[in-house]
Amino acid sequence: MKCPYCGCVESKVVDSRSADDGERIRRRRECLRCGKRFTTYEMVESFPLMVIKRDESREPFDREKLRSGIMRACEKRPVSMGMIDKIVDSIERKLQNSFDREVTSNVIGEYAMEMLRETDEVAYVRFASVYRQFKDINTFMDELNKLINAK
């Protein structure tokens, strides 16, 4: 690791600890030339996940876009921000753990609906109505009936 003070590439690690709930490692280093200390962070390298949209275009996975869609579905519902973050974390983890570097928006939508169905049925129906693009009241009622019959 290159010293930010003198540019020397030789340093020693004097302290290491977990950061960000184990997602990164914080290392305190000491330059072997000038003796000054500096901090570095180490994390697992992840490759960008690409989302294939309905029109076949591709864009990088955007965690905040998923989060805002779920937040809209949960608006005025008894779903905490912590729970929304857990849902988004869970979906992102599933996507990262798959070996595919490309995923369709349908897969992401299905994961979100699955998690929302378990969390809040009204939020689930709201999300499904946008995601499935209900054309009329009959398709909306079909989805509601599936939800009722699943109980």
Side-chain angles (χ1 to χ4, degrees):
M1 187 61 61
K2 188 176 181 181
C3 174
Y5 303 105
C6 71
C8 179
V9 293
E10 298 295 321
S11 64
K12 67 179 181 179
V13 175
V14 293
D15 182 41
S16 287
R17 63 180 68 161
S18 179
D20 298 331
D21 291 329
E23 296 294 320
R24 300 190 308 168
I25 296 176
R26 178 185 182 272
R27 297 201 192 279
R28 194 75 181 132
R29 297 177 177 270
E30 184 177 311
C31 177
L32 294 178
R33 183 189 299 158
C34 70
K36 292 195 177 186
R37 291 186 174 194
F38 57 98
T39 302
T40 61
Y41 291 89
E42 180 181 315
M43 62 184 190
V44 174
E45 182 179 24
S46 63
F47 297 99
L49 180 65
M50 297 301 288
V51 177
I52 304 169
K53 299 177 71 170
R54 287 185 177 139
D55 66 359
E56 297 297 314
S57 65
R58 286 166 169 72
E59 68 179 39
F61 173 74
D62 184 355
R63 175 187 169 84
E64 289 308 310
K65 189 173 181 180
L66 174 62
R67 187 172 185 265
S68 70
I70 292 172
M71 281 175 52
R72 261 183 266 123
C74 295
E75 203 169 275
K76 296 183 182 178
R77 298 297 306 154
V79 180
S80 69
M81 288 304 296
M83 187 52 142
I84 291 171
D85 287 336
K86 283 181 184 177
I87 291 170
V88 173
D89 289 344
S90 175
I91 294 168
E92 187 174 25
R93 198 170 8 304
K94 280 182 184 181
L95 296 172
Q96 291 293 343
N97 288 339
S98 75
F99 292 105
D100 297 328
R101 293 295 96 207
E102 292 186 328
V103 64
T104 63
S105 58
N106 290 345
V107 169
I108 297 170
E110 291 298 327
Y111 285 160
M113 288 195 324
E114 177 184 314
M115 300 291 291
L116 285 170
R117 185 182 298 123
E118 297 168 8
T119 305
D120 186 275
E121 291 176 344
V122 172
Y124 162 75
V125 171
R126 287 177 178 171
F127 190 90
S129 70
V130 173
Y131 168 70
R132 293 230 169 105
Q133 298 177 333
F134 295 144
K135 303 288 187 244
D136 56 32
I137 192 70
N138 293 328
T139 54
F140 186 75
M141 288 304 295
D142 289 343
E143 191 65 35
L144 286 176
N145 287 330
K146 284 181 200 173
L147 184 63
I148 292 168
N149 293 333
K151 286 186 171 187

